[in-house]
Amino acid sequence: METERTLVGIVKATLHRPQLLVLDEPTASLDPDVADQVRNGVERQCNETGAALLVTSHNMTDVERICERVVFVTSGRVVADGTPA
């Protein structure tokens, strides 16, 4: 049930092709194959529309795959800022 809620939320967020897409832990409750499909879909939509993507995630696979810039925040303070590499 959680998987379906997550997918419906992502579809609702992307349906109108926003200029800024904000996703909080977008693949947290998804199995690896579905998570990969979500990453591919979000990445494709942002590339096609030029949308900016803001993601909060503990999943470094998501971060490395779909982010150009990464900011680590601890206790409300930026402790690192740069590329995923």
Side-chain angles (χ1 to χ4, degrees):
M1 185 64 148
E2 186 65 30
T3 296
E4 289 82 9
R5 280 194 191 122
T6 299
L7 292 174
V8 167
I10 292 169
V11 169
K12 286 172 63 176
T14 60
L15 187 61
H16 300 290
R17 298 185 174 258
Q19 292 180 0
L20 172 62
L21 182 58
V22 180
L23 300 175
D24 181 21
E25 298 283 354
T27 62
S29 65
L30 304 178
D31 69 53
D33 291 334
V34 175
D36 195 46
Q37 291 174 1
V38 167
R39 283 189 290 273
N40 288 337
V42 167
E43 186 176 34
R44 183 173 49 251
Q45 181 169 347
C46 288
N47 287 337
E48 289 174 0
T49 65
L53 175 63
L54 174 63
V55 176
T56 61
S57 183
H58 293 90
N59 183 330
M60 291 301 105
T61 301
D62 287 350
V63 171
E64 290 174 340
R65 174 85 181 272
I66 60 177
C67 298
E68 296 175 6
R69 180 176 172 207
V70 180
V71 178
F72 286 93
V73 179
T74 300
S75 300
R77 298 177 62 111
V78 173
V79 295
D81 182 350
T83 65

mmCIF file of all heavy atoms in Angstrom, residues 17 37 39-49:
data_model
loop_
_atom_site.group_PDB
_atom_site.id
_atom_site.type_symbol
_atom_site.label_atom_id
_atom_site.label_comp_id
_atom_site.label_asym_id
_atom_site.label_seq_id
_atom_site.Cartn_x
_atom_site.Cartn_y
_atom_site.Cartn_z
ATOM 1 N N ARG A 17 3.923 19.002 -15.145
ATOM 2 C CA ARG A 17 5.254 19.402 -15.583
ATOM 3 C C ARG A 17 5.708 20.728 -14.966
ATOM 4 O O ARG A 17 5.910 21.724 -15.652
ATOM 5 C CB ARG A 17 5.325 19.454 -17.099
ATOM 6 C CG ARG A 17 5.071 18.094 -17.711
ATOM 7 C CD ARG A 17 5.259 18.100 -19.229
ATOM 8 N NE ARG A 17 5.141 16.755 -19.731
ATOM 9 C CZ ARG A 17 6.182 16.005 -20.064
ATOM 10 N NH1 ARG A 17 7.401 16.460 -19.961
ATOM 11 N NH2 ARG A 17 6.006 14.789 -20.524
ATOM 12 N N GLN A 37 12.925 2.821 -12.010
ATOM 13 C CA GLN A 37 11.976 3.390 -12.977
ATOM 14 C C GLN A 37 11.603 4.818 -12.590
ATOM 15 O O GLN A 37 11.500 5.692 -13.459
ATOM 16 C CB GLN A 37 10.735 2.522 -13.084
ATOM 17 C CG GLN A 37 10.983 1.188 -13.739
ATOM 18 C CD GLN A 37 9.762 0.286 -13.711
ATOM 19 O OE1 GLN A 37 8.696 0.643 -13.218
ATOM 20 N NE2 GLN A 37 9.914 -0.915 -14.250
ATOM 21 N N ARG A 39 13.478 6.935 -10.763
ATOM 22 C CA ARG A 39 14.648 7.782 -11.045
ATOM 23 C C ARG A 39 14.744 8.098 -12.534
ATOM 24 O O ARG A 39 14.976 9.242 -12.915
ATOM 25 C CB ARG A 39 15.936 7.100 -10.573
ATOM 26 C CG ARG A 39 16.157 7.170 -9.080
ATOM 27 C CD ARG A 39 17.532 6.671 -8.694
ATOM 28 N NE ARG A 39 17.692 5.230 -8.873
ATOM 29 C CZ ARG A 39 17.372 4.317 -7.964
ATOM 30 N NH1 ARG A 39 16.883 4.686 -6.801
ATOM 31 N NH2 ARG A 39 17.557 3.043 -8.209
ATOM 32 N N ASN A 40 14.562 7.089 -13.381
ATOM 33 C CA ASN A 40 14.621 7.309 -14.830
ATOM 34 C C ASN A 40 13.545 8.285 -15.285
ATOM 35 O O ASN A 40 13.810 9.179 -16.096
ATOM 36 C CB ASN A 40 14.462 5.991 -15.588
ATOM 37 C CG ASN A 40 15.669 5.095 -15.481
ATOM 38 O OD1 ASN A 40 16.771 5.552 -15.217
ATOM 39 N ND2 ASN A 40 15.459 3.801 -15.663
ATOM 40 N N GLY A 41 12.337 8.116 -14.777
ATOM 41 C CA GLY A 41 11.228 8.977 -15.183
ATOM 42 C C GLY A 41 11.422 10.417 -14.746
ATOM 43 O O GLY A 41 11.186 11.348 -15.528
ATOM 44 N N VAL A 42 11.848 10.612 -13.518
ATOM 45 C CA VAL A 42 12.071 11.966 -13.011
ATOM 46 C C VAL A 42 13.217 12.628 -13.776
ATOM 47 O O VAL A 42 13.113 13.784 -14.193
ATOM 48 C CB VAL A 42 12.358 11.935 -11.494
ATOM 49 C CG1 VAL A 42 12.891 13.272 -11.013
ATOM 50 C CG2 VAL A 42 11.098 11.537 -10.726
ATOM 51 N N GLU A 43 14.275 11.894 -13.970
ATOM 52 C CA GLU A 43 15.422 12.424 -14.713
ATOM 53 C C GLU A 43 15.020 12.801 -16.149
ATOM 54 O O GLU A 43 15.362 13.876 -16.642
ATOM 55 C CB GLU A 43 16.538 11.387 -14.731
ATOM 56 C CG GLU A 43 17.820 11.858 -15.351
ATOM 57 C CD GLU A 43 18.914 10.809 -15.250
ATOM 58 O OE1 GLU A 43 18.621 9.589 -15.313
ATOM 59 O OE2 GLU A 43 20.066 11.221 -15.120
ATOM 60 N N ARG A 44 14.269 11.921 -16.787
ATOM 61 C CA ARG A 44 13.819 12.182 -18.162
ATOM 62 C C ARG A 44 12.922 13.422 -18.216
ATOM 63 O O ARG A 44 13.098 14.296 -19.070
ATOM 64 C CB ARG A 44 13.088 10.965 -18.717
ATOM 65 C CG ARG A 44 12.648 11.111 -20.161
ATOM 66 C CD ARG A 44 12.065 9.837 -20.761
ATOM 67 N NE ARG A 44 11.058 9.222 -19.907
ATOM 68 C CZ ARG A 44 11.209 8.085 -19.236
ATOM 69 N NH1 ARG A 44 12.345 7.418 -19.299
ATOM 70 N NH2 ARG A 44 10.242 7.593 -18.482
ATOM 71 N N GLN A 45 11.964 13.527 -17.286
ATOM 72 C CA GLN A 45 11.069 14.675 -17.306
ATOM 73 C C GLN A 45 11.831 15.977 -17.087
ATOM 74 O O GLN A 45 11.583 16.964 -17.776
ATOM 75 C CB GLN A 45 9.968 14.540 -16.261
ATOM 76 C CG GLN A 45 9.026 15.730 -16.310
ATOM 77 C CD GLN A 45 7.776 15.549 -15.496
ATOM 78 O OE1 GLN A 45 7.458 14.456 -15.063
ATOM 79 N NE2 GLN A 45 7.059 16.625 -15.294
ATOM 80 N N CYS A 46 12.753 15.989 -16.154
ATOM 81 C CA CYS A 46 13.529 17.210 -15.909
ATOM 82 C C CYS A 46 14.376 17.578 -17.112
ATOM 83 O O CYS A 46 14.480 18.750 -17.462
ATOM 84 C CB CYS A 46 14.384 17.047 -14.658
ATOM 85 S SG CYS A 46 13.410 17.056 -13.135
ATOM 86 N N ASN A 47 14.968 16.596 -17.770
ATOM 87 C CA ASN A 47 15.770 16.867 -18.965
ATOM 88 C C ASN A 47 14.906 17.398 -20.103
ATOM 89 O O ASN A 47 15.310 18.300 -20.827
ATOM 90 C CB ASN A 47 16.512 15.612 -19.413
ATOM 91 C CG ASN A 47 17.663 15.259 -18.501
ATOM 92 O OD1 ASN A 47 18.190 16.106 -17.789
ATOM 93 N ND2 ASN A 47 18.044 13.997 -18.501
ATOM 94 N N GLU A 48 13.714 16.833 -20.262
ATOM 95 C CA GLU A 48 12.823 17.245 -21.360
ATOM 96 C C GLU A 48 12.215 18.623 -21.132
ATOM 97 O O GLU A 48 12.024 19.376 -22.075
ATOM 98 C CB GLU A 48 11.706 16.223 -21.548
ATOM 99 C CG GLU A 48 12.170 14.909 -22.141
ATOM 100 C CD GLU A 48 11.074 13.850 -22.180
ATOM 101 O OE1 GLU A 48 9.929 14.126 -21.750
ATOM 102 O OE2 GLU A 48 11.376 12.724 -22.628
ATOM 103 N N THR A 49 11.884 18.948 -19.896
ATOM 104 C CA THR A 49 11.178 20.196 -19.613
ATOM 105 C C THR A 49 12.083 21.302 -19.104
ATOM 106 O O THR A 49 11.665 22.450 -19.015
ATOM 107 C CB THR A 49 10.068 19.969 -18.568
ATOM 108 O OG1 THR A 49 10.668 19.594 -17.317
ATOM 109 C CG2 THR A 49 9.082 18.914 -19.026
#
